Amino acid sequence: MAALTTLLDEHQTLRPFLGRLRTAAETGTDDEIGQAVAAAERALCQDLDRHIDLEDHEFFPEIADLLHASIVEPFVEDHRAIEQARDALYLQTAQGDDLRRKCITLCSLLESHLLREEEMLFPMYRSAQA
Ligand SMILES: [Fe+2]
Ligand SMILES: [Fe+2]
């Protein structure tokens, strides 16, 4: 259960960066988007990689053992899509509408993923452990 607390804390740490990025991408200037992208870099790169690694290699296998592998598969697929969208934002140069689209795509994937983990996957894990 300790891992679950860590994962939830990390979701909460990530959310303000996503909020700022989405707001900048939807209504901000190009400069504001650039600043939001830069401010979120550590959270969306090193920290997110570590979070995903913990889920893919420790937490999800435990859930698969407790319940069924098919339960975690969609979440693993989400991780690959999130990494791809994140790399598209940070490893490629983009400007204007293209940059805004990349930010919004990444925010949407992550916001939905975090919510589904918290509202579906984590409660299933808690119930299976109880
Ligand atoms: Fe995840
Ligand atoms: Fe997560």
Side-chain angles (χ1 to χ4, degrees), residues 64-76:
D65 284 347
L66 274 170
L67 299 161
H68 195 276
S70 63
I71 289 167
V72 296
E73 278 160 11
F75 293 90
V76 174

Side-chain angles (χ1 to χ4, degrees), residues 27-43:
T27 60
T29 63
D30 286 359
D31 276 356
E32 285 166 342
I33 299 173
Q35 287 162 13
V37 169
E41 182 167 358
R42 186 189 170 91

Side-chain angles (χ1 to χ4, degrees), residues 12-68:
Q12 286 308 103
T13 302
L14 185 56
R15 280 196 166 99
F17 291 104
L18 293 177
R20 180 177 168 186
L21 195 59
R22 178 179 278 284
T23 302
E26 286 177 350
T27 60
T29 63
D30 286 359
D31 276 356
E32 285 166 342
I33 299 173
Q35 287 162 13
V37 169
E41 182 167 358
R42 186 189 170 91
L44 288 171
C45 295
Q46 297 99 307
D47 294 352
L48 183 61
D49 282 340
R50 213 183 47 241
H51 181 86
I52 285 176
D53 197 57
L54 177 62
E55 289 183 341
D56 280 352
H57 298 108
E58 292 183 36
F59 190 58
F60 288 1
E62 195 182 332
I63 297 178
D65 284 347
L66 274 170
L67 299 161
H68 195 276

